[in-house]
Coordinates of all heavy atoms in Angstrom, one line a residue:
A1 N -183.9 7.4 -81.8 CA -182.8 7.6 -82.7 C -181.8 8.6 -82.2 O -180.6 8.5 -82.6 CB -183.4 8.0 -84.1
Q2 N -182.1 9.5 -81.4 CA -181.2 10.5 -80.9 C -180.1 9.9 -80.0 O -178.9 10.3 -80.1 CB -182.0 11.6 -80.1 CG -183.0 12.3 -80.9 CD -183.8 13.3 -80.1 OE1 -183.5 13.5 -78.9 NE2 -184.8 13.9 -80.7
D3 N -180.4 8.9 -79.3 CA -179.5 8.3 -78.4 C -179.1 6.8 -78.7 O -178.1 6.3 -78.2 CB -180.0 8.3 -76.9 CG -180.3 9.7 -76.5 OD1 -179.5 10.6 -76.7 OD2 -181.4 9.9 -75.9
A4 N -179.8 6.2 -79.6 CA -179.6 4.8 -80.0 C -179.7 4.6 -81.5 O -180.8 4.2 -82.0 CB -180.6 3.9 -79.2
P5 N -178.7 5.0 -82.3 CA -178.8 4.8 -83.7 C -179.0 3.4 -84.2 O -179.7 3.2 -85.2 CB -177.5 5.4 -84.2 CG -176.5 5.3 -83.0 CD -177.4 5.5 -81.8
L6 N -178.5 2.4 -83.5 CA -178.7 1.0 -83.9 C -180.2 0.6 -83.7 O -180.7 -0.1 -84.5 CB -177.8 0.1 -83.1 CG -176.3 0.2 -83.4 CD1 -175.6 -0.8 -82.5 CD2 -176.0 -0.1 -84.8
V7 N -180.8 1.2 -82.7 CA -182.2 0.9 -82.5 C -183.0 1.6 -83.6 O -184.0 1.0 -84.1 CB -182.7 1.5 -81.1 CG1 -184.2 1.4 -81.0 CG2 -182.0 0.7 -80.0
A8 N -182.6 2.8 -84.0 CA -183.3 3.5 -85.1 C -183.3 2.8 -86.4 O -184.1 3.0 -87.2 CB -182.7 4.9 -85.2
I9 N -182.3 1.9 -86.6 CA -182.2 1.2 -87.9 C -182.8 -0.2 -87.7 O -183.6 -0.6 -88.5 CB -180.7 1.0 -88.3 CG1 -180.1 2.4 -88.7 CG2 -180.6 0.0 -89.5 CD1 -178.6 2.3 -89.0
G10 N -182.4 -0.9 -86.6 CA -182.8 -2.3 -86.5 C -184.3 -2.5 -86.2 O -185.0 -3.3 -86.8
V11 N -184.8 -1.7 -85.2 CA -186.2 -1.9 -84.8 C -187.2 -1.6 -86.0 O -188.1 -2.3 -86.2 CB -186.5 -1.0 -83.6 CG1 -188.0 -1.0 -83.3 CG2 -185.7 -1.4 -82.4
P12 N -187.0 -0.5 -86.7 CA -187.9 -0.3 -87.9 C -187.9 -1.4 -88.9 O -189.0 -1.8 -89.4 CB -187.4 1.0 -88.5 CG -186.7 1.8 -87.4 CD -186.1 0.7 -86.6
L13 N -186.7 -2.0 -89.1 CA -186.7 -3.1 -90.1 C -187.5 -4.3 -89.6 O -188.2 -4.9 -90.3 CB -185.2 -3.5 -90.3 CG -184.3 -2.4 -91.0 CD1 -182.9 -3.0 -91.2 CD2 -185.0 -2.1 -92.4
I14 N -187.4 -4.6 -88.3 CA -188.1 -5.7 -87.7 C -189.6 -5.4 -87.8 O -190.4 -6.3 -88.2 CB -187.7 -5.9 -86.3 CG1 -186.2 -6.4 -86.2 CG2 -188.6 -7.0 -85.6 CD1 -185.6 -6.5 -84.9
L15 N -190.0 -4.2 -87.4 CA -191.4 -3.8 -87.4 C -192.0 -3.8 -88.8 O -193.1 -4.4 -89.0 CB -191.6 -2.5 -86.7 CG -191.3 -2.4 -85.2 CD1 -191.4 -1.0 -84.7 CD2 -192.2 -3.3 -84.4
F16 N -191.3 -3.3 -89.7 CA -191.8 -3.3 -91.1 C -191.9 -4.7 -91.7 O -192.7 -5.0 -92.5 CB -191.0 -2.3 -92.0 CG -191.4 -0.9 -91.8 CD1 -190.5 0.0 -91.3 CD2 -192.6 -0.4 -92.2 CE1 -190.8 1.4 -91.1 CE2 -193.0 0.9 -92.0 CZ -192.1 1.8 -91.5
F17 N -190.9 -5.5 -91.3 CA -191.0 -6.9 -91.7 C -192.2 -7.6 -91.2 O -192.9 -8.3 -92.0 CB -189.7 -7.7 -91.3 CG -189.8 -9.1 -91.6 CD1 -189.6 -9.5 -92.9 CD2 -190.0 -10.1 -90.6 CE1 -189.6 -10.9 -93.2 CE2 -190.0 -11.4 -90.9 CZ -189.8 -11.8 -92.2
I18 N -192.5 -7.4 -90.0 CA -193.8 -8.0 -89.4 C -195.0 -7.4 -90.1 O -195.9 -8.2 -90.4 CB -193.8 -7.7 -87.9 CG1 -192.7 -8.4 -87.1 CG2 -195.2 -8.1 -87.3 CD1 -192.6 -8.0 -85.7
L19 N -195.0 -6.1 -90.3 CA -196.1 -5.5 -91.0 C -196.2 -6.0 -92.4 O -197.4 -6.3 -92.9 CB -195.9 -4.0 -91.1 CG -197.0 -3.1 -91.7 CD1 -198.3 -3.2 -90.9 CD2 -196.6 -1.7 -91.9
D20 N -195.1 -6.2 -93.1 CA -195.1 -6.8 -94.5 C -195.7 -8.2 -94.5 O -196.5 -8.5 -95.4 CB -193.7 -6.7 -95.1 CG -193.7 -7.1 -96.5 OD1 -194.5 -6.4 -97.3 OD2 -192.9 -7.9 -96.9
V21 N -195.3 -9.0 -93.6 CA -195.9 -10.4 -93.5 C -197.4 -10.3 -93.3 O -198.1 -11.0 -93.9 CB -195.2 -11.1 -92.3 CG1 -195.9 -12.5 -92.1 CG2 -193.7 -11.4 -92.7
G22 N -197.8 -9.5 -92.3 CA -199.2 -9.4 -92.1 C -200.1 -8.9 -93.3 O -201.2 -9.3 -93.4
L23 N -199.5 -8.1 -94.1 CA -200.2 -7.5 -95.2 C -200.0 -8.3 -96.5 O -200.4 -7.8 -97.6 CB -199.7 -6.0 -95.5 CG -200.0 -5.0 -94.3 CD1 -199.5 -3.7 -94.7 CD2 -201.5 -5.0 -94.1
T24 N -199.4 -9.4 -96.4 CA -199.1 -10.2 -97.6 C -200.3 -10.3 -98.6 O -200.2 -10.1 -99.8 CB -198.6 -11.6 -97.3 OG1 -197.4 -11.5 -96.5 CG2 -198.3 -12.4 -98.5
F25 N -201.4 -10.7 -98.0 CA -202.6 -11.0 -98.8 C -203.7 -9.9 -98.6 O -204.7 -9.9 -99.3 CB -203.2 -12.3 -98.5 CG -202.3 -13.5 -98.8 CD1 -201.8 -14.3 -97.8 CD2 -201.8 -13.7 -100.1 CE1 -200.9 -15.3 -98.1 CE2 -201.0 -14.7 -100.4 CZ -200.5 -15.5 -99.4
V26 N -203.4 -8.9 -97.8 CA -204.3 -7.8 -97.6 C -204.3 -6.9 -98.8 O -205.4 -6.5 -99.3 CB -203.9 -6.9 -96.4 CG1 -204.8 -5.7 -96.2 CG2 -204.0 -7.8 -95.1
T27 N -203.2 -6.6 -99.4 CA -203.1 -5.7 -100.6 C -203.7 -6.4 -101.8 O -204.5 -5.7 -102.5 CB -201.7 -5.2 -100.8 OG1 -200.8 -6.3 -100.7 CG2 -201.3 -4.1 -99.9
P28 N -203.5 -7.7 -102.1 CA -204.2 -8.3 -103.2 C -205.7 -8.3 -102.9 O -206.5 -8.1 -103.9 CB -203.6 -9.7 -103.2 CG -202.3 -9.6 -102.6 CD -202.4 -8.6 -101.5
A29 N -206.1 -8.5 -101.7 CA -207.6 -8.5 -101.4 C -208.2 -7.1 -101.7 O -209.3 -7.0 -102.2 CB -207.8 -8.9 -99.9
L30 N -207.4 -6.1 -101.3 CA -207.9 -4.7 -101.6 C -207.9 -4.4 -103.1 O -208.7 -3.6 -103.5 CB -207.0 -3.7 -100.9 CG -207.6 -2.3 -100.6 CD1 -208.9 -2.4 -99.8 CD2 -206.5 -1.5 -99.9
T31 N -207.1 -5.1 -103.8 CA -207.1 -4.9 -105.3 C -208.1 -5.7 -106.0 O -208.8 -5.2 -106.9 CB -205.7 -5.3 -105.8 OG1 -204.7 -4.6 -105.1 CG2 -205.6 -5.0 -107.3
F32 N -208.3 -7.0 -105.6 CA -209.2 -7.9 -106.4 C -210.5 -8.2 -105.8 O -211.4 -8.6 -106.5 CB -208.4 -9.2 -106.6 CG -207.1 -9.0 -107.3 CD1 -205.9 -9.5 -106.7 CD2 -207.0 -8.4 -108.5 CE1 -204.7 -9.3 -107.3 CE2 -205.8 -8.2 -109.1 CZ -204.6 -8.7 -108.5
S33 N -210.7 -8.1 -104.4 CA -211.8 -8.7 -103.8 C -212.8 -7.7 -103.2 O -214.0 -7.9 -103.1 CB -211.4 -9.7 -102.8 OG -210.7 -10.8 -103.4
T34 N -212.2 -6.6 -102.7 CA -213.1 -5.6 -101.9 C -212.4 -4.2 -102.0 O -211.2 -4.1 -102.1 CB -213.2 -6.1 -100.5 OG1 -214.1 -5.1 -99.8 CG2 -211.9 -6.2 -99.8
S35 N -213.2 -3.2 -101.8 CA -212.7 -1.8 -101.7 C -212.7 -1.4 -100.3 O -212.3 -0.3 -100.0 CB -213.6 -0.9 -102.6 OG -214.9 -0.9 -102.1
S36 N -213.1 -2.3 -99.4 CA -213.1 -1.9 -97.9 C -211.8 -2.4 -97.3 O -211.4 -3.5 -97.4 CB -214.3 -2.7 -97.2 OG -214.2 -2.6 -95.8
A37 N -211.2 -1.4 -96.7 CA -209.9 -1.7 -96.0 C -210.1 -2.7 -94.9 O -209.2 -3.6 -94.7 CB -209.2 -0.4 -95.5
R38 N -211.1 -2.6 -94.1 CA -211.4 -3.5 -93.0 C -211.6 -4.9 -93.5 O -211.1 -5.9 -93.0 CB -212.6 -3.0 -92.2 CG -212.3 -1.8 -91.4 CD -213.5 -1.4 -90.5 NE -213.2 -0.1 -89.8 CZ -212.6 0.0 -88.7 NH1 -212.1 -1.1 -88.1 NH2 -212.4 1.1 -88.1
S39 N -212.4 -5.0 -94.6 CA -212.7 -6.3 -95.2 C -211.4 -6.9 -95.8 O -211.2 -8.2 -95.6 CB -213.8 -6.2 -96.3 OG -215.0 -5.8 -95.7
A40 N -210.6 -6.1 -96.4 CA -209.4 -6.6 -97.0 C -208.4 -7.1 -95.9 O -207.7 -8.1 -96.1 CB -208.7 -5.5 -97.8
L41 N -208.4 -6.4 -94.8 CA -207.6 -6.8 -93.6 C -208.0 -8.2 -93.1 O -207.2 -9.1 -92.8 CB -207.6 -5.8 -92.5 CG -206.5 -5.8 -91.5 CD1 -205.1 -5.7 -92.1 CD2 -206.8 -4.7 -90.4
S42 N -209.3 -8.3 -93.0 CA -209.9 -9.6 -92.5 C -209.6 -10.7 -93.5 O -209.2 -11.8 -93.1 CB -211.4 -9.4 -92.3 OG -212.0 -10.7 -91.9
I43 N -209.8 -10.5 -94.8 CA -209.6 -11.5 -95.8 C -208.1 -11.9 -95.8 O -207.8 -13.1 -95.9 CB -210.0 -11.0 -97.2 CG1 -211.5 -10.8 -97.3 CG2 -209.5 -11.9 -98.3 CD1 -212.0 -10.1 -98.5

């Protein structure tokens, strides 16, 4: 971010979007199906 402000904005948005897609059903699994984070990630 010190030398590339556009990278500081664009890259986090892309990474968090990917993370959000991957966790789409992980958080419901952790809420409704299991209390184990590893199991929720697998489900």
Side-chain angles (χ1 to χ4, degrees):
Q2 298 176 4
D3 301 317
L6 291 179
V7 172
I9 295 175
V11 173
L13 292 181
I14 294 172
L15 293 177
F16 279 115
F17 175 73
I18 295 172
L19 182 65
D20 189 51
V21 170
L23 295 179
T24 299
F25 299 117
V26 174
T27 44
L30 200 57
T31 304
F32 303 124
S33 301
T34 180
S35 61
S36 166
R38 292 185 182 275
S39 295
L41 196 61
S42 176
I43 292 170

